[in-house]
């Protein structure tokens, strides 16, 4: 039963995309940035006693973005199928590789959005409109990490688009 909700492969797949294309080595600078910057921002927010307001509005934003990410996953399935049809399933198929990386990143972003939405839903369900500094710190980490992941997805979509033009 627990296997049905095993989230470890989603996290592993996402971090596998943070490798050099030529050497297949982990890009520690990117890993550090994607994890370190949000944590630093969250710790700073906690230290400076930032308290997030508008829990319901932030929850609505995460819910909308999660829905859009689900739609993007469906589109990526179609893109991957067409790339495989056109060029086969080999290591030279750049479009398929980009589609796989995008799928891993979008699925991970969706996971982060769902975790943040769950935390916000509990706070909203309890009638909290302004969360304390500790929960604000956690939410800042999730929001910053989610934003950086969306920026990575945007960069990869741009690469896929440019690749399709050549």
């Amino acid at each position: 039963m627990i296997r049905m909700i095993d989230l470890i492969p989603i996290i592993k797949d996402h971090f596998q995309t943070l490798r050099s294309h030529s050497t297949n080595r982990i890009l520690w600078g990117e890993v550090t940035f994607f994890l370190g910057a949000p944590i630093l921002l969250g710790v700073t927010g906690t230290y400076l006693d930032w308290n997030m307001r508008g829990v319901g509005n932030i929850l609505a934003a995460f819910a909308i973005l999660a829905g859009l990410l689900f739609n993007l996953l469906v589109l990526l399935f179609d893109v991957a199928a067409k790339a495989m049809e056109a060029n086969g399933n080999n290591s030279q198929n750049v479009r398929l590789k980009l589609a796989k990386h995008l799928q891993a990143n979008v699925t991970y972003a969706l996971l982060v959005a769902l975790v943040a939405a769950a935390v916000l839903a509990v706070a909203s369900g309890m009638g909290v409109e302004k969360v304390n500094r500790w929960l604000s710190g956690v939410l800042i980490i999730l929001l910053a990490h989610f934003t950086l992941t969306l920026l990575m997805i945007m960069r990869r979509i741009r690469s896929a688009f440019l690749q399709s033009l050549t």
Side-chain angles (χ1 to χ4, degrees):
M1 179 71 166
I2 197 82
R3 239 189 169 141
M4 290 175 56
I5 55 172
D6 185 11
L7 303 175
I8 301 299
I10 293 171
I11 297 166
K12 281 183 179 179
D13 288 349
H14 170 71
F15 282 98
Q16 286 296 321
T17 68
L18 298 175
R19 291 181 171 272
S20 168
H21 295 293
S22 56
T23 64
N24 202 33
R25 290 182 175 230
I26 296 172
L27 299 170
W28 289 108
E30 284 194 25
V31 172
T32 302
F33 178 71
F34 273 93
L35 294 175
I39 290 171
L40 183 63
L41 190 59
V43 168
T44 301
T46 302
Y47 178 75
L48 296 176
D49 198 21
W50 293 347
N51 296 313
M52 285 187 137
R53 301 176 197 278
V55 170
N57 292 334
I58 299 170
L59 174 60
F62 269 107
I64 290 168
L65 288 170
L68 292 172
L69 288 171
F70 269 120
N71 286 333
L72 184 55
L73 275 176
V74 172
L75 289 172
L76 283 171
F77 180 76
D78 186 51
V79 167
K82 286 180 182 175
M84 203 152 110
E85 220 173 78
N87 298 323
N89 189 11
N90 60 45
S91 62
Q92 303 302 318
N93 192 341
V94 176
R95 287 183 193 161
L96 183 59
K97 188 174 185 178
L98 279 169
K100 287 179 179 179
H101 283 199
L102 273 169
Q103 178 275 332
N105 299 143
V106 169
T107 305
Y108 179 78
L110 185 55
L111 175 63
V112 173
L114 291 174
V115 168
V119 171
L120 289 163
V122 169
S124 181
M126 294 172 63
V128 175
E129 188 53 33
K130 177 182 165 188
V131 294
N132 66 31
R133 72 183 192 159
W134 301 104
L135 188 54
S136 289
V138 170
L139 290 171
I140 289 167
I141 291 169
L142 289 170
L143 181 59
H145 189 61
F146 179 73
T147 302
L148 289 175
T149 305
L150 284 182
L151 290 172
M152 177 195 297
I153 290 167
M154 189 172 65
R155 184 184 74 191
R156 291 221 164 115
I157 288 174
R158 181 181 178 276
S159 291
F161 179 76
L162 293 175
Q163 181 65 31
S164 70
L165 294 178
T166 58

